[in-house]
Amino acid sequence: MNPAFLPPLELVRRPLWRTLGIALLPLALAACDSGSSTGGNALVDPPVVTPPASEEPAPPPRNTAYLDRKAGDVIKVRIEELHPTQAAIGYDQVYYKLGRWQGDLDRPTWAHDPQQQLDYLNRTIGKKFDDYCEDMGGTERAQKFLSLAEVQAARLDQPTTYLCKDPLGSQTENLKTVVVGWDGNLYLTDGHHTFSSLREIPDGGPKLPVWVKVSANYSDLHDAPAFWDRMSEEKQVWLRDGQNQPITVEQLPTRLGLANDQEAGGMQEDRYRSLVYFTRDIAYKNGNLPEYAEFLWGDWLRRQAAAGQLPGLDAYLMAPPATPEQILAASTLNKALQTGGSDTSYAAAVRDASLKMSALQDTDLVFEDRDAAALGRITLEADAASGSVTKTARDTLEELPRNDVKSDGSPRGAGKLWFAVNYRHCGKPASGTCWGW
């Protein structure tokens, strides 16, 4: 290299010291801050703690017992395994069952005539087993009770004490239906009143075995929102409370049966749902109807009342403080379909609602896209012949409040309203109560 281009030594040293000074400056400052003029400790920043990444809550465990069940499968379950898909039921429909199914074993009315006493018990307690055999796919009881001892021994929760005509679950046309949910649990889409009645009866209860038919399996859906969206799309959930007000799925009851103070989670009362039940075979037929058909009729009747086209239920004597006699006063339709009897009783409410329902045309919409024909409307015709649908409807209305004793003193089948109203007022049929014996 040409010596003329070599830098003087002083020029080389200055950048080097400048570089070392800059590099050592932080260390010098740190040394100066190592204490205060009074000898205090150094101020050290606390260590930074990084919180662990938040974890999503684990999904609830799935019920694996029914995940592989297919539409059409018949399964035996306990009532407590069935989850409601509606918030309310017609309490009077359940009261009818509870009143009729619990005939008084010690009733003195026919104590002098064992055959009539047995006839009465077959019409009441025997009806419980008739209904159970039919609803559980066993068709009917194999035979009526032949002795008082058989009646006393028979219990729903003891299958050896009674016999159905066919094996339970074998005749599927009358079975109630369930959907397998996203969580593997069973969601009831038909039978809330039947299973609530069985849950309330003393020889039934939440652990009573019942048979149901699977209508769909939605366990392939990943979460609850997707499941309930599907249920809503398929019209397999009724999200209204006992006052017909909208609710969310989180507000559905957690169990079947009547609400009470001793056990949480029961179902609410819907008075219009009860009313519609008693219009059955007067204003509509209960065969092959869509799910929740009675609630659709109830919604329509509420709207008629709100529009002033039909008296509201408060215009009738249907519950205390009215007396059973006032509530059970007969109301009728004659051959010309003119009204008679009481205009304020429970039967009057049924009669007036039935006339309003039957006056619709088949194509009239009752709820959204459901018309009167799809909901089983019955056409009532003046001067209809004996044996006609209209004559049957008129007879059904007249029978609703009648008691269980014929004019000659022998037992007969009492009306549904008679059982329901007396049970609400008096509880289980027994001597010395307001049932009247």
Side-chain angles (χ1 to χ4, degrees):
M1 178 178 293
N2 187 339
F5 291 97
L6 290 177
L9 180 59
E10 191 63 30
L11 294 177
V12 173
R13 287 174 178 163
R14 286 178 182 174
L16 177 60
W17 282 111
R18 185 180 296 112
T19 301
L20 290 175
I22 293 171
L24 293 175
L25 180 60
L27 296 177
L29 292 174
C32 293
D33 288 341
S34 63
S36 67
S37 60
T38 58
N41 294 327
L43 297 176
V44 180
D45 290 335
V48 177
V49 178
T50 303
S54 60
E55 295 183 0
E56 300 235 352
R62 303 178 93 198
N63 181 359
T64 60
Y66 308 113
L67 289 177
D68 61 347
R69 297 295 184 170
K70 304 180 298 297
D73 284 356
V74 175
I75 52 179
K76 177 184 177 182
V77 301
R78 301 181 307 278
I79 290 177
E80 64 186 357
E81 295 181 82
L82 303 173
H83 295 255
T85 55
Q86 63 192 52
I89 52 179
Y91 275 27
D92 286 334
Q93 180 174 343
V94 175
Y95 289 156
Y96 155 63
K97 294 290 189 180
L98 296 179
R100 183 165 186 177
W101 287 353
Q102 299 185 83
D104 183 3
L105 285 165
D106 301 316
R107 182 170 177 176
T109 312
W110 297 286
H112 62 284
D113 189 330
Q115 189 57 47
Q116 288 192 355
Q117 185 83 328
L118 193 58
D119 182 8
Y120 157 71
L121 293 173
N122 269 304
R123 292 175 181 274
T124 53
I125 295 176
K127 174 68 171 170
K128 173 177 61 178
F129 295 95
D130 291 336
D131 289 348
Y132 185 77
C133 289
E134 179 181 356
D135 291 331
M136 299 306 125
T139 308
E140 59 187 11
R141 264 192 306 167
Q143 66 177 24
K144 293 183 177 181
F145 296 124
L146 301 178
S147 69
L148 183 60
E150 285 186 13
V151 184
Q152 292 170 324
R155 290 183 59 91
L156 288 175
D157 54 6
Q158 296 178 14
T160 59
T161 63
Y162 63 94
L163 183 64
C164 297
K165 181 179 177 181
D166 296 307
L168 296 178
S170 64
Q171 306 301 316
T172 62
E173 61 273 10
N174 290 324
L175 291 178
K176 310 307 179 185
T177 52
V178 296
V179 166
V180 181
W182 71 282
D183 51 5
N185 289 320
L186 300 178
Y187 291 84
L188 188 67
T189 55
D190 176 44
H192 292 79
H193 289 80
T194 293
F195 294 129
S196 289
S197 300
L198 290 170
R199 196 184 193 278
E200 298 291 333
I201 202 77
D203 57 338
K207 298 190 181 300
L208 183 72
V210 293
W211 280 254
V212 293
K213 180 170 58 178
V214 176
S215 63
N217 187 327
Y218 298 151
S219 61
D220 58 331
L221 300 174
H222 299 299
D223 55 31
F227 169 67
W228 288 113
D229 284 347
R230 180 69 175 274
M231 292 286 281
S232 296
E233 291 170 4
E234 300 293 333
K235 294 182 169 62
Q236 295 189 93
V237 60
W238 181 251
L239 293 177
R240 304 282 185 92
D241 65 13
Q243 301 299 319
N244 204 41
Q245 297 303 305
I247 61 169
T248 65
V249 294
E250 290 79 15
Q251 293 172 291
L252 286 170
T254 57
R255 65 168 178 85
L256 297 167
L258 309 178
N260 60 69
D261 295 335
Q262 290 72 46
E263 183 182 11
M267 305 189 73
Q268 300 175 29
E269 178 175 14
D270 185 329
R271 295 176 66 201
Y272 274 91
R273 177 60 181 79
S274 291
L275 176 69
V276 172
Y277 172 68
F278 293 117
T279 68
R280 185 179 296 180
D281 297 325
I282 305 172
Y284 77 101
K285 284 285 185 184
N286 186 41
N288 299 316
L289 298 183
E291 305 290 8
Y292 313 105
E294 290 87 352
F295 285 105
L296 307 187
W297 277 121
D299 177 86
W300 184 81
L301 289 172
R302 279 181 162 99
R303 284 185 276 118
Q304 297 304 301
Q309 302 300 311
L310 183 72
L313 295 189
D314 290 342
Y316 301 95
L317 303 175
M318 301 175 67
T323 65
E325 290 76 19
Q326 292 173 315
I327 298 170
L328 290 171
S331 294
T332 60
L333 288 172
N334 67 13
K335 192 171 183 179
L337 299 184
Q338 294 175 331
T339 62
S342 174
D343 289 325
T344 58
S345 67
Y346 205 140
V350 174
R351 180 195 65 196
D352 296 348
S354 296
L355 286 172
K356 198 72 179 174
M357 293 161 69
S358 67
L360 290 171
Q361 299 299 310
D362 279 350
T363 55
D364 287 340
L365 294 180
V366 175
F367 186 90
E368 294 181 350
D369 60 344
R370 305 299 174 92
D371 60 28
L375 297 181
R377 165 190 166 265
I378 291 174
T379 302
L380 298 179
E381 299 175 342
D383 302 318
S386 179
S388 65
V389 172
T390 298
K391 181 59 166 65
T392 300
R394 290 171 48 218
D395 291 345
T396 300
L397 172 64
E398 193 167 343
E399 292 166 1
L400 282 176
R402 77 178 185 184
N403 64 25
D404 62 351
V405 182
K406 293 181 182 178
S407 57
D408 64 3
S410 60
R412 68 178 176 187
K416 293 178 179 178
L417 271 180
W418 185 79
F419 282 113
V421 170
N422 278 299
Y423 188 86
R424 182 186 281 270
H425 278 74
C426 314
K428 176 183 175 180
S431 298
T433 67
C434 57
W435 283 85
W437 60 82

